[in-house]
Amino acid sequence: MLTASPRPSPVTPTIDLSAQGVQHGHLRLPYSRDDSAWGSVMIPICVIANGDGPTALLTGANHGDEYEGPAALFELARTLDPAEVSGRVIIVPALNYPAFRAGTRTSPIDKGNMNRSFPGRPDGNVTEKIADYVTRHLVPLADIVLDFHSGGKTLDFLPYAAAHELPDKAQEVRCFAAVAAFSAPYSMKMLEIDAVGMLDTTVEEMGKVFVTTELGGAGTASARSIGIARRGAGNLLKHAGILAGTPETAPTRWLDMPSADCFSFAQDDGLIAFERDLGESVRAGEVIARIYPIGKTGLAPAEYRAAMDGVLAARHVPGLIKAGDCLSVLAVLTEAP
Ligand code: CA
C-alpha cells in the first residue's frame, strides 16, 4: 500500500519539527484560488519536545464535523509544559482543516474525505496532499498515534477508544494496551466497513501503535465527551512514557463487533423512530427502529430488526434518514481482548 512517491510534498512546516521546547505554527500547503492567487491552506500544528523519549502524534478533525479531538487538542497544545514532557508531542488539532473550518465531514475544496484519502498523493487534490504529508513526514516520526473521531453530523456513538484486529499479534496487543490506558467508558475491538484509505490502516501498516476513538457525535461535543477526550490524551501520553505518572484509569466496558451483522443500513427514506437508546441492549429479531414514510398518514413504517444480540453502539442522527444511510451499529459486551 505504501508506494512512497519520490515526488516531494508541497507542504512546508513553518516550524522545525525537531526543535526542543514549544512551537506553534502551521503546515502550509499552497492552494491557488480565486480569492488568493498564490494562497495557501494553513493547518495549525504544535510541537512540544523535551529531550529523549518517544514521539506521539495526536490528531483531530480528520473529519471536519467531529469536535472532541479539536476541543481536547487545542487545549493540550496551549497548556502542555515541555518540562513535563520526555520526548515529543506533535499535535494537529484539525487535520482536514478546510473541512473543519466549514463544519463539514469532507473538504469544501475538493470534497475529499480525509479518512478515505490515505496514504495520499503529493500530486493529488488538497485533501490527498495533506494525507501524503502525514503519511510520509509525520507518522514516521511517531511511536504512537491517536486519531480522534466521533460521529459527525450524521452519527452518534457510545464514547469509546478503539483498535483493530491486526495480522501482527504483538502489535495488536500494544494497540489494545494503549486503548485500555486511554480509559474511555467503552473500549472497542473495531471492525471497519471499508478500511481502505484510512489513516488507521496506514499507521498500522507502518507497525506503529494506533488508537482511534468514537466519542459521541451529532455534530457537536458535550462537556462529558470533551472530558473523556482530554483525560484519554493525557492517559495515552503517560502510557507512552512521554508524561510522568500512571494513567488515570476508570472502569471501561469492552465491546466487540464480531461480524458485519452489527451494521444496519436504511433501505427507506423517512422519519426514524428508535426503539433503543445508545448503550441499551437489543436481542436478535427485536426492532431497533422504525422508518415512517412522511408523505401522508396511514402508512406502515418499515421495521429494522437486530440481526444479532448486542448493545446499541451507534445510531443515525438527525431525525430524518435516507436509503443507504447507516442506521445503527450493534456491539457485544465482552472481556478485555
Ligand atoms: Ca469520523
Side-chain angles (χ1 to χ4, degrees), residues 143-146 161-163 170-184 187 208-213 231-240 247 249 254 337:
D143 301 285
I144 185 165
V145 178
L146 167 62
Q171 182 190 8
E172 181 183 309
V173 166
R174 291 198 301 277
C175 291
F176 281 105
V179 169
F182 186 102
S183 207
S187 300
K208 315 282 184 175
V209 173
F210 182 81
V211 174
T212 187
T213 72
R231 191 188 62 195
N235 280 347
L236 216 70
L237 294 177
K238 289 174 184 167
H239 175 74
T249 52
W254 286 89

PDB file of all heavy atoms in Angstrom, residues 143-146 161-163 170-184 187 208-213 231-240 247 249 254 337:
ATOM      1  N   ASP A 143       5.953   7.145  17.473  1.00  0.00           N
ATOM      2  CA  ASP A 143       5.887   5.790  18.012  1.00  0.00           C
ATOM      3  C   ASP A 143       4.444   5.395  18.268  1.00  0.00           C
ATOM      4  O   ASP A 143       4.092   4.218  18.230  1.00  0.00           O
ATOM      5  CB  ASP A 143       6.669   5.726  19.333  1.00  0.00           C
ATOM      6  CG  ASP A 143       8.122   6.118  19.129  1.00  0.00           C
ATOM      7  OD1 ASP A 143       8.862   5.297  18.577  1.00  0.00           O
ATOM      8  OD2 ASP A 143       8.502   7.263  19.483  1.00  0.00           O
ATOM      9  N   ILE A 144       3.624   6.395  18.585  1.00  0.00           N
ATOM     10  CA  ILE A 144       2.218   6.135  18.899  1.00  0.00           C
ATOM     11  C   ILE A 144       1.380   7.247  18.273  1.00  0.00           C
ATOM     12  O   ILE A 144       1.778   8.415  18.277  1.00  0.00           O
ATOM     13  CB  ILE A 144       2.013   6.045  20.437  1.00  0.00           C
ATOM     14  CG1 ILE A 144       0.587   5.665  20.805  1.00  0.00           C
ATOM     15  CG2 ILE A 144       2.453   7.316  21.146  1.00  0.00           C
ATOM     16  CD1 ILE A 144       0.440   5.226  22.262  1.00  0.00           C
ATOM     17  N   VAL A 145       0.236   6.867  17.697  1.00  0.00           N
ATOM     18  CA  VAL A 145      -0.646   7.821  17.021  1.00  0.00           C
ATOM     19  C   VAL A 145      -2.049   7.685  17.594  1.00  0.00           C
ATOM     20  O   VAL A 145      -2.582   6.577  17.704  1.00  0.00           O
ATOM     21  CB  VAL A 145      -0.680   7.562  15.493  1.00  0.00           C
ATOM     22  CG1 VAL A 145      -1.649   8.522  14.796  1.00  0.00           C
ATOM     23  CG2 VAL A 145       0.720   7.684  14.888  1.00  0.00           C
ATOM     24  N   LEU A 146      -2.617   8.819  17.979  1.00  0.00           N
ATOM     25  CA  LEU A 146      -4.007   8.876  18.453  1.00  0.00           C
ATOM     26  C   LEU A 146      -4.783   9.783  17.510  1.00  0.00           C
ATOM     27  O   LEU A 146      -4.452  10.960  17.369  1.00  0.00           O
ATOM     28  CB  LEU A 146      -4.051   9.431  19.884  1.00  0.00           C
ATOM     29  CG  LEU A 146      -5.423   9.849  20.441  1.00  0.00           C
ATOM     30  CD1 LEU A 146      -6.376   8.664  20.517  1.00  0.00           C
ATOM     31  CD2 LEU A 146      -5.262  10.497  21.819  1.00  0.00           C
ATOM     32  N   ALA A 161     -12.782   4.339  22.921  1.00  0.00           N
ATOM     33  CA  ALA A 161     -11.500   4.267  22.223  1.00  0.00           C
ATOM     34  C   ALA A 161     -11.436   2.891  21.586  1.00  0.00           C
ATOM     35  O   ALA A 161     -12.075   1.945  22.062  1.00  0.00           O
ATOM     36  CB  ALA A 161     -10.340   4.482  23.179  1.00  0.00           C
ATOM     37  N   ALA A 162     -10.673   2.767  20.505  1.00  0.00           N
ATOM     38  CA  ALA A 162     -10.709   1.525  19.743  1.00  0.00           C
ATOM     39  C   ALA A 162      -9.380   1.231  19.078  1.00  0.00           C
ATOM     40  O   ALA A 162      -8.576   2.126  18.806  1.00  0.00           O
ATOM     41  CB  ALA A 162     -11.795   1.601  18.675  1.00  0.00           C
ATOM     42  N   ALA A 163      -9.191  -0.060  18.823  1.00  0.00           N
ATOM     43  CA  ALA A 163      -8.114  -0.522  17.953  1.00  0.00           C
ATOM     44  C   ALA A 163      -8.688  -1.651  17.104  1.00  0.00           C
ATOM     45  O   ALA A 163      -9.849  -2.043  17.281  1.00  0.00           O
ATOM     46  CB  ALA A 163      -6.906  -0.982  18.764  1.00  0.00           C
ATOM     47  N   ALA A 170       1.555  -9.146  18.108  1.00  0.00           N
ATOM     48  CA  ALA A 170       2.290  -8.372  19.125  1.00  0.00           C
ATOM     49  C   ALA A 170       1.931  -6.886  19.004  1.00  0.00           C
ATOM     50  O   ALA A 170       1.722  -6.196  20.016  1.00  0.00           O
ATOM     51  CB  ALA A 170       3.787  -8.577  18.956  1.00  0.00           C
ATOM     52  N   GLN A 171       1.827  -6.414  17.782  1.00  0.00           N
ATOM     53  CA  GLN A 171       1.412  -5.020  17.558  1.00  0.00           C
ATOM     54  C   GLN A 171      -0.025  -4.813  18.036  1.00  0.00           C
ATOM     55  O   GLN A 171      -0.347  -3.789  18.667  1.00  0.00           O
ATOM     56  CB  GLN A 171       1.534  -4.686  16.067  1.00  0.00           C
ATOM     57  CG  GLN A 171       1.174  -3.230  15.737  1.00  0.00           C
ATOM     58  CD  GLN A 171       1.055  -2.988  14.241  1.00  0.00           C
ATOM     59  OE1 GLN A 171       1.088  -3.932  13.441  1.00  0.00           O
ATOM     60  NE2 GLN A 171       0.907  -1.731  13.855  1.00  0.00           N
ATOM     61  N   GLU A 172      -0.896  -5.794  17.757  1.00  0.00           N
ATOM     62  CA  GLU A 172      -2.299  -5.706  18.204  1.00  0.00           C
ATOM     63  C   GLU A 172      -2.373  -5.582  19.735  1.00  0.00           C
ATOM     64  O   GLU A 172      -3.124  -4.766  20.264  1.00  0.00           O
ATOM     65  CB  GLU A 172      -3.066  -6.941  17.718  1.00  0.00           C
ATOM     66  CG  GLU A 172      -4.533  -6.943  18.110  1.00  0.00           C
ATOM     67  CD  GLU A 172      -5.243  -8.227  17.681  1.00  0.00           C
ATOM     68  OE1 GLU A 172      -5.128  -8.601  16.499  1.00  0.00           O
ATOM     69  OE2 GLU A 172      -5.905  -8.849  18.525  1.00  0.00           O
ATOM     70  N   VAL A 173      -1.574  -6.374  20.431  1.00  0.00           N
ATOM     71  CA  VAL A 173      -1.544  -6.309  21.898  1.00  0.00           C
ATOM     72  C   VAL A 173      -1.118  -4.911  22.361  1.00  0.00           C
ATOM     73  O   VAL A 173      -1.705  -4.332  23.276  1.00  0.00           O
ATOM     74  CB  VAL A 173      -0.603  -7.407  22.476  1.00  0.00           C
ATOM     75  CG1 VAL A 173      -0.288  -7.151  23.943  1.00  0.00           C
ATOM     76  CG2 VAL A 173      -1.234  -8.784  22.291  1.00  0.00           C
ATOM     77  N   ARG A 174      -0.113  -4.345  21.701  1.00  0.00           N
ATOM     78  CA  ARG A 174       0.348  -2.994  22.068  1.00  0.00           C
ATOM     79  C   ARG A 174      -0.759  -1.962  21.824  1.00  0.00           C
ATOM     80  O   ARG A 174      -0.939  -1.040  22.624  1.00  0.00           O
ATOM     81  CB  ARG A 174       1.605  -2.623  21.275  1.00  0.00           C
ATOM     82  CG  ARG A 174       2.845  -3.419  21.648  1.00  0.00           C
ATOM     83  CD  ARG A 174       4.136  -2.731  21.174  1.00  0.00           C
ATOM     84  NE  ARG A 174       4.186  -2.526  19.721  1.00  0.00           N
ATOM     85  CZ  ARG A 174       4.572  -3.451  18.853  1.00  0.00           C
ATOM     86  NH1 ARG A 174       4.942  -4.647  19.271  1.00  0.00           N
ATOM     87  NH2 ARG A 174       4.600  -3.182  17.555  1.00  0.00           N
ATOM     88  N   CYS A 175      -1.475  -2.127  20.741  1.00  0.00           N
ATOM     89  CA  CYS A 175      -2.555  -1.173  20.425  1.00  0.00           C
ATOM     90  C   CYS A 175      -3.670  -1.270  21.473  1.00  0.00           C
ATOM     91  O   CYS A 175      -4.173  -0.240  21.951  1.00  0.00           O
ATOM     92  CB  CYS A 175      -3.120  -1.433  19.030  1.00  0.00           C
ATOM     93  SG  CYS A 175      -1.957  -1.029  17.691  1.00  0.00           S
ATOM     94  N   PHE A 176      -4.079  -2.484  21.858  1.00  0.00           N
ATOM     95  CA  PHE A 176      -5.159  -2.616  22.841  1.00  0.00           C
ATOM     96  C   PHE A 176      -4.708  -2.202  24.237  1.00  0.00           C
ATOM     97  O   PHE A 176      -5.523  -1.717  25.023  1.00  0.00           O
ATOM     98  CB  PHE A 176      -5.764  -4.022  22.805  1.00  0.00           C
ATOM     99  CG  PHE A 176      -6.729  -4.184  21.661  1.00  0.00           C
ATOM    100  CD1 PHE A 176      -6.389  -4.900  20.529  1.00  0.00           C
ATOM    101  CD2 PHE A 176      -7.977  -3.564  21.708  1.00  0.00           C
ATOM    102  CE1 PHE A 176      -7.268  -5.011  19.461  1.00  0.00           C
ATOM    103  CE2 PHE A 176      -8.859  -3.669  20.648  1.00  0.00           C
ATOM    104  CZ  PHE A 176      -8.508  -4.394  19.517  1.00  0.00           C
ATOM    105  N   ALA A 177      -3.417  -2.360  24.538  1.00  0.00           N
ATOM    106  CA  ALA A 177      -2.905  -1.849  25.822  1.00  0.00           C
ATOM    107  C   ALA A 177      -3.052  -0.325  25.854  1.00  0.00           C
ATOM    108  O   ALA A 177      -3.402   0.263  26.892  1.00  0.00           O
ATOM    109  CB  ALA A 177      -1.455  -2.257  26.016  1.00  0.00           C
ATOM    110  N   ALA A 178      -2.817   0.315  24.715  1.00  0.00           N
ATOM    111  CA  ALA A 178      -2.970   1.773  24.638  1.00  0.00           C
ATOM    112  C   ALA A 178      -4.444   2.176  24.730  1.00  0.00           C
ATOM    113  O   ALA A 178      -4.781   3.185  25.360  1.00  0.00           O
ATOM    114  CB  ALA A 178      -2.343   2.293  23.341  1.00  0.00           C
ATOM    115  N   VAL A 179      -5.330   1.387  24.132  1.00  0.00           N
ATOM    116  CA  VAL A 179      -6.778   1.639  24.251  1.00  0.00           C
ATOM    117  C   VAL A 179      -7.206   1.547  25.715  1.00  0.00           C
ATOM    118  O   VAL A 179      -7.955   2.397  26.220  1.00  0.00           O
ATOM    119  CB  VAL A 179      -7.583   0.640  23.392  1.00  0.00           C
ATOM    120  CG1 VAL A 179      -9.075   0.703  23.718  1.00  0.00           C
ATOM    121  CG2 VAL A 179      -7.358   0.915  21.911  1.00  0.00           C
ATOM    122  N   ALA A 180      -6.701   0.519  26.411  1.00  0.00           N
ATOM    123  CA  ALA A 180      -7.043   0.361  27.829  1.00  0.00           C
ATOM    124  C   ALA A 180      -6.536   1.551  28.634  1.00  0.00           C
ATOM    125  O   ALA A 180      -7.226   2.053  29.530  1.00  0.00           O
ATOM    126  CB  ALA A 180      -6.447  -0.948  28.366  1.00  0.00           C
ATOM    127  N   ALA A 181      -5.335   2.023  28.309  1.00  0.00           N
ATOM    128  CA  ALA A 181      -4.772   3.169  29.022  1.00  0.00           C
ATOM    129  C   ALA A 181      -5.587   4.435  28.773  1.00  0.00           C
ATOM    130  O   ALA A 181      -5.757   5.261  29.677  1.00  0.00           O
ATOM    131  CB  ALA A 181      -3.318   3.387  28.604  1.00  0.00           C
ATOM    132  N   PHE A 182      -6.107   4.601  27.568  1.00  0.00           N
ATOM    133  CA  PHE A 182      -6.938   5.770  27.237  1.00  0.00           C
ATOM    134  C   PHE A 182      -8.113   5.866  28.217  1.00  0.00           C
ATOM    135  O   PHE A 182      -8.477   6.928  28.675  1.00  0.00           O
ATOM    136  CB  PHE A 182      -7.448   5.646  25.798  1.00  0.00           C
ATOM    137  CG  PHE A 182      -8.195   6.856  25.299  1.00  0.00           C
ATOM    138  CD1 PHE A 182      -7.592   7.777  24.456  1.00  0.00           C
ATOM    139  CD2 PHE A 182      -9.532   7.067  25.648  1.00  0.00           C
ATOM    140  CE1 PHE A 182      -8.283   8.884  23.986  1.00  0.00           C
ATOM    141  CE2 PHE A 182     -10.233   8.176  25.194  1.00  0.00           C
ATOM    142  CZ  PHE A 182      -9.612   9.082  24.357  1.00  0.00           C
ATOM    143  N   SER A 183      -8.694   4.682  28.512  1.00  0.00           N
ATOM    144  CA  SER A 183      -9.686   4.576  29.576  1.00  0.00           C
ATOM    145  C   SER A 183     -10.959   5.377  29.298  1.00  0.00           C
ATOM    146  O   SER A 183     -11.442   6.139  30.144  1.00  0.00           O
ATOM    147  CB  SER A 183      -9.040   5.005  30.909  1.00  0.00           C
ATOM    148  OG  SER A 183      -9.665   4.380  31.977  1.00  0.00           O
ATOM    149  N   ALA A 184     -11.502   5.171  28.117  1.00  0.00           N
ATOM    150  CA  ALA A 184     -12.836   5.721  27.809  1.00  0.00           C
ATOM    151  C   ALA A 184     -13.885   4.847  28.506  1.00  0.00           C
ATOM    152  O   ALA A 184     -13.594   3.729  28.922  1.00  0.00           O
ATOM    153  CB  ALA A 184     -13.058   5.712  26.296  1.00  0.00           C
ATOM    154  N   SER A 187     -14.470   0.489  25.404  1.00  0.00           N
ATOM    155  CA  SER A 187     -13.276   0.185  24.603  1.00  0.00           C
ATOM    156  C   SER A 187     -13.682  -0.850  23.573  1.00  0.00           C
ATOM    157  O   SER A 187     -14.284  -1.866  23.917  1.00  0.00           O
ATOM    158  CB  SER A 187     -12.159  -0.365  25.487  1.00  0.00           C
ATOM    159  OG  SER A 187     -11.796   0.579  26.488  1.00  0.00           O
ATOM    160  N   LYS A 208       3.150   0.907  13.774  1.00  0.00           N
ATOM    161  CA  LYS A 208       3.039   1.794  14.944  1.00  0.00           C
ATOM    162  C   LYS A 208       1.864   1.383  15.827  1.00  0.00           C
ATOM    163  O   LYS A 208       0.951   0.689  15.389  1.00  0.00           O
ATOM    164  CB  LYS A 208       2.802   3.238  14.480  1.00  0.00           C
ATOM    165  CG  LYS A 208       3.667   3.705  13.342  1.00  0.00           C
ATOM    166  CD  LYS A 208       5.048   4.068  13.816  1.00  0.00           C
ATOM    167  CE  LYS A 208       5.871   4.631  12.654  1.00  0.00           C
ATOM    168  NZ  LYS A 208       7.177   5.115  13.094  1.00  0.00           N
ATOM    169  N   VAL A 209       1.889   1.904  17.055  1.00  0.00           N
ATOM    170  CA  VAL A 209       0.730   1.778  17.937  1.00  0.00           C
ATOM    171  C   VAL A 209      -0.288   2.828  17.504  1.00  0.00           C
ATOM    172  O   VAL A 209       0.038   4.021  17.409  1.00  0.00           O
ATOM    173  CB  VAL A 209       1.124   1.976  19.406  1.00  0.00           C
ATOM    174  CG1 VAL A 209      -0.118   2.012  20.303  1.00  0.00           C
ATOM    175  CG2 VAL A 209       2.067   0.870  19.850  1.00  0.00           C
ATOM    176  N   PHE A 210      -1.520   2.378  17.237  1.00  0.00           N
ATOM    177  CA  PHE A 210      -2.563   3.294  16.765  1.00  0.00           C
ATOM    178  C   PHE A 210      -3.819   3.131  17.604  1.00  0.00           C
ATOM    179  O   PHE A 210      -4.284   2.021  17.825  1.00  0.00           O
ATOM    180  CB  PHE A 210      -2.899   3.000  15.300  1.00  0.00           C
ATOM    181  CG  PHE A 210      -3.937   3.945  14.745  1.00  0.00           C
ATOM    182  CD1 PHE A 210      -3.573   5.210  14.310  1.00  0.00           C
ATOM    183  CD2 PHE A 210      -5.279   3.581  14.693  1.00  0.00           C
ATOM    184  CE1 PHE A 210      -4.519   6.095  13.834  1.00  0.00           C
ATOM    185  CE2 PHE A 210      -6.229   4.465  14.215  1.00  0.00           C
ATOM    186  CZ  PHE A 210      -5.851   5.725  13.777  1.00  0.00           C
ATOM    187  N   VAL A 211      -4.337   4.267  18.054  1.00  0.00           N
ATOM    188  CA  VAL A 211      -5.609   4.300  18.786  1.00  0.00           C
ATOM    189  C   VAL A 211      -6.528   5.284  18.084  1.00  0.00           C
ATOM    190  O   VAL A 211      -6.120   6.409  17.754  1.00  0.00           O
ATOM    191  CB  VAL A 211      -5.406   4.736  20.253  1.00  0.00           C
ATOM    192  CG1 VAL A 211      -6.742   4.903  20.966  1.00  0.00           C
ATOM    193  CG2 VAL A 211      -4.543   3.717  20.990  1.00  0.00           C
ATOM    194  N   THR A 212      -7.760   4.862  17.842  1.00  0.00           N
ATOM    195  CA  THR A 212      -8.769   5.760  17.324  1.00  0.00           C
ATOM    196  C   THR A 212      -9.870   5.872  18.377  1.00  0.00           C
ATOM    197  O   THR A 212      -9.839   5.180  19.401  1.00  0.00           O
ATOM    198  CB  THR A 212      -9.320   5.278  15.971  1.00  0.00           C
ATOM    199  OG1 THR A 212     -10.187   6.284  15.430  1.00  0.00           O
ATOM    200  CG2 THR A 212     -10.096   3.971  16.101  1.00  0.00           C
ATOM    201  N   THR A 213     -10.821   6.754  18.149  1.00  0.00           N
ATOM    202  CA  THR A 213     -11.943   6.890  19.075  1.00  0.00           C
ATOM    203  C   THR A 213     -13.224   7.127  18.295  1.00  0.00           C
ATOM    204  O   THR A 213     -13.200   7.514  17.138  1.00  0.00           O
ATOM    205  CB  THR A 213     -11.784   8.094  20.045  1.00  0.00           C
ATOM    206  OG1 THR A 213     -11.967   9.307  19.303  1.00  0.00           O
ATOM    207  CG2 THR A 213     -10.440   8.105  20.737  1.00  0.00           C
ATOM    208  N   ARG A 231      -8.871  13.545  29.122  1.00  0.00           N
ATOM    209  CA  ARG A 231      -8.273  12.567  30.022  1.00  0.00           C
ATOM    210  C   ARG A 231      -7.595  11.461  29.221  1.00  0.00           C
ATOM    211  O   ARG A 231      -6.496  11.006  29.556  1.00  0.00           O
ATOM    212  CB  ARG A 231      -9.342  11.975  30.945  1.00  0.00           C
ATOM    213  CG  ARG A 231      -8.764  11.158  32.087  1.00  0.00           C
ATOM    214  CD  ARG A 231      -9.837  10.431  32.859  1.00  0.00           C
ATOM    215  NE  ARG A 231     -10.528   9.477  31.996  1.00  0.00           N
ATOM    216  CZ  ARG A 231     -11.687   8.902  32.285  1.00  0.00           C
ATOM    217  NH1 ARG A 231     -12.312   9.202  33.403  1.00  0.00           N
ATOM    218  NH2 ARG A 231     -12.228   8.034  31.456  1.00  0.00           N
ATOM    219  N   GLY A 232      -8.233  11.040  28.126  1.00  0.00           N
ATOM    220  CA  GLY A 232      -7.671   9.970  27.300  1.00  0.00           C
ATOM    221  C   GLY A 232      -6.339  10.355  26.681  1.00  0.00           C
ATOM    222  O   GLY A 232      -5.409   9.544  26.653  1.00  0.00           O
ATOM    223  N   ALA A 233      -6.249  11.582  26.185  1.00  0.00           N
ATOM    224  CA  ALA A 233      -4.984  12.028  25.577  1.00  0.00           C
ATOM    225  C   ALA A 233      -3.882  12.045  26.633  1.00  0.00           C
ATOM    226  O   ALA A 233      -2.764  11.577  26.383  1.00  0.00           O
ATOM    227  CB  ALA A 233      -5.159  13.405  24.945  1.00  0.00           C
ATOM    228  N   GLY A 234      -4.196  12.564  27.816  1.00  0.00           N
ATOM    229  CA  GLY A 234      -3.206  12.586  28.902  1.00  0.00           C
ATOM    230  C   GLY A 234      -2.804  11.178  29.296  1.00  0.00           C
ATOM    231  O   GLY A 234      -1.613  10.887  29.502  1.00  0.00           O
ATOM    232  N   ASN A 235      -3.788  10.301  29.381  1.00  0.00           N
ATOM    233  CA  ASN A 235      -3.504   8.908  29.742  1.00  0.00           C
ATOM    234  C   ASN A 235      -2.589   8.234  28.717  1.00  0.00           C
ATOM    235  O   ASN A 235      -1.690   7.471  29.083  1.00  0.00           O
ATOM    236  CB  ASN A 235      -4.810   8.121  29.856  1.00  0.00           C
ATOM    237  CG  ASN A 235      -5.506   8.348  31.185  1.00  0.00           C
ATOM    238  OD1 ASN A 235      -4.919   8.893  32.126  1.00  0.00           O
ATOM    239  ND2 ASN A 235      -6.763   7.945  31.262  1.00  0.00           N
ATOM    240  N   LEU A 236      -2.859   8.522  27.439  1.00  0.00           N
ATOM    241  CA  LEU A 236      -2.050   7.896  26.397  1.00  0.00           C
ATOM    242  C   LEU A 236      -0.597   8.375  26.465  1.00  0.00           C
ATOM    243  O   LEU A 236       0.331   7.587  26.259  1.00  0.00           O
ATOM    244  CB  LEU A 236      -2.655   8.198  25.023  1.00  0.00           C
ATOM    245  CG  LEU A 236      -2.535   7.055  24.042  1.00  0.00           C
ATOM    246  CD1 LEU A 236      -3.447   5.910  24.469  1.00  0.00           C
ATOM    247  CD2 LEU A 236      -2.865   7.505  22.647  1.00  0.00           C
ATOM    248  N   LEU A 237      -0.414   9.669  26.765  1.00  0.00           N
ATOM    249  CA  LEU A 237       0.948  10.203  26.878  1.00  0.00           C
ATOM    250  C   LEU A 237       1.662   9.599  28.089  1.00  0.00           C
ATOM    251  O   LEU A 237       2.872   9.347  28.048  1.00  0.00           O
ATOM    252  CB  LEU A 237       0.915  11.728  26.964  1.00  0.00           C
ATOM    253  CG  LEU A 237       0.409  12.441  25.695  1.00  0.00           C
ATOM    254  CD1 LEU A 237       0.355  13.947  25.911  1.00  0.00           C
ATOM    255  CD2 LEU A 237       1.289  12.105  24.485  1.00  0.00           C
ATOM    256  N   LYS A 238       0.924   9.344  29.160  1.00  0.00           N
ATOM    257  CA  LYS A 238       1.520   8.662  30.319  1.00  0.00           C
ATOM    258  C   LYS A 238       1.861   7.218  29.954  1.00  0.00           C
ATOM    259  O   LYS A 238       2.935   6.710  30.293  1.00  0.00           O
ATOM    260  CB  LYS A 238       0.561   8.696  31.511  1.00  0.00           C
ATOM    261  CG  LYS A 238       0.419  10.090  32.123  1.00  0.00           C
ATOM    262  CD  LYS A 238      -0.657  10.096  33.200  1.00  0.00           C
ATOM    263  CE  LYS A 238      -0.859  11.508  33.742  1.00  0.00           C
ATOM    264  NZ  LYS A 238      -2.088  11.610  34.563  1.00  0.00           N
ATOM    265  N   HIS A 239       0.937   6.554  29.293  1.00  0.00           N
ATOM    266  CA  HIS A 239       1.155   5.169  28.877  1.00  0.00           C
ATOM    267  C   HIS A 239       2.401   5.055  27.997  1.00  0.00           C
ATOM    268  O   HIS A 239       3.165   4.084  28.112  1.00  0.00           O
ATOM    269  CB  HIS A 239      -0.082   4.679  28.122  1.00  0.00           C
ATOM    270  CG  HIS A 239       0.060   3.313  27.533  1.00  0.00           C
ATOM    271  ND1 HIS A 239       0.029   2.157  28.296  1.00  0.00           N
ATOM    272  CD2 HIS A 239       0.256   2.894  26.249  1.00  0.00           C
ATOM    273  CE1 HIS A 239       0.183   1.107  27.512  1.00  0.00           C
ATOM    274  NE2 HIS A 239       0.318   1.525  26.274  1.00  0.00           N
ATOM    275  N   ALA A 240       2.618   6.048  27.129  1.00  0.00           N
ATOM    276  CA  ALA A 240       3.768   6.027  26.217  1.00  0.00           C
ATOM    277  C   ALA A 240       5.061   6.405  26.921  1.00  0.00           C
ATOM    278  O   ALA A 240       6.143   6.292  26.331  1.00  0.00           O
ATOM    279  CB  ALA A 240       3.515   6.972  25.043  1.00  0.00           C
ATOM    280  N   PRO A 247      -1.540   6.228  34.026  1.00  0.00           N
ATOM    281  CA  PRO A 247      -2.826   6.686  33.503  1.00  0.00           C
ATOM    282  C   PRO A 247      -3.902   6.723  34.587  1.00  0.00           C
ATOM    283  O   PRO A 247      -3.940   5.860  35.478  1.00  0.00           O
ATOM    284  CB  PRO A 247      -3.154   5.655  32.421  1.00  0.00           C
ATOM    285  CG  PRO A 247      -1.826   5.134  31.984  1.00  0.00           C
ATOM    286  CD  PRO A 247      -0.966   5.143  33.226  1.00  0.00           C
ATOM    287  N   THR A 249      -6.985   5.811  35.361  1.00  0.00           N
ATOM    288  CA  THR A 249      -7.931   4.861  34.773  1.00  0.00           C
ATOM    289  C   THR A 249      -9.306   4.988  35.416  1.00  0.00           C
ATOM    290  O   THR A 249      -9.449   5.454  36.542  1.00  0.00           O
ATOM    291  CB  THR A 249      -7.433   3.407  34.917  1.00  0.00           C
ATOM    292  OG1 THR A 249      -7.106   3.191  36.274  1.00  0.00           O
ATOM    293  CG2 THR A 249      -6.226   3.162  34.046  1.00  0.00           C
ATOM    294  N   TRP A 254     -15.634  -3.405  27.667  1.00  0.00           N
ATOM    295  CA  TRP A 254     -15.091  -3.821  26.373  1.00  0.00           C
ATOM    296  C   TRP A 254     -16.208  -4.268  25.453  1.00  0.00           C
ATOM    297  O   TRP A 254     -17.141  -4.979  25.863  1.00  0.00           O
ATOM    298  CB  TRP A 254     -14.067  -4.931  26.552  1.00  0.00           C
ATOM    299  CG  TRP A 254     -12.779  -4.377  27.106  1.00  0.00           C
ATOM    300  CD1 TRP A 254     -12.458  -4.230  28.424  1.00  0.00           C
ATOM    301  CD2 TRP A 254     -11.689  -3.852  26.353  1.00  0.00           C
ATOM    302  NE1 TRP A 254     -11.218  -3.654  28.535  1.00  0.00           N
ATOM    303  CE2 TRP A 254     -10.716  -3.411  27.287  1.00  0.00           C
ATOM    304  CE3 TRP A 254     -11.422  -3.705  24.987  1.00  0.00           C
ATOM    305  CZ2 TRP A 254      -9.502  -2.836  26.893  1.00  0.00           C
ATOM    306  CZ3 TRP A 254     -10.220  -3.152  24.596  1.00  0.00           C
ATOM    307  CH2 TRP A 254      -9.270  -2.715  25.539  1.00  0.00           C
ATOM    308  N   PRO A 337      -9.667  -7.760  25.458  1.00  0.00           N
ATOM    309  CA  PRO A 337      -9.084  -8.605  24.407  1.00  0.00           C
ATOM    310  C   PRO A 337      -7.781  -9.253  24.875  1.00  0.00           C
ATOM    311  O   PRO A 337      -7.107  -8.726  25.728  1.00  0.00           O
ATOM    312  CB  PRO A 337      -8.810  -7.619  23.272  1.00  0.00           C
ATOM    313  CG  PRO A 337      -8.634  -6.306  23.941  1.00  0.00           C
ATOM    314  CD  PRO A 337      -9.539  -6.329  25.151  1.00  0.00           C
TER     315      PRO A 337
END
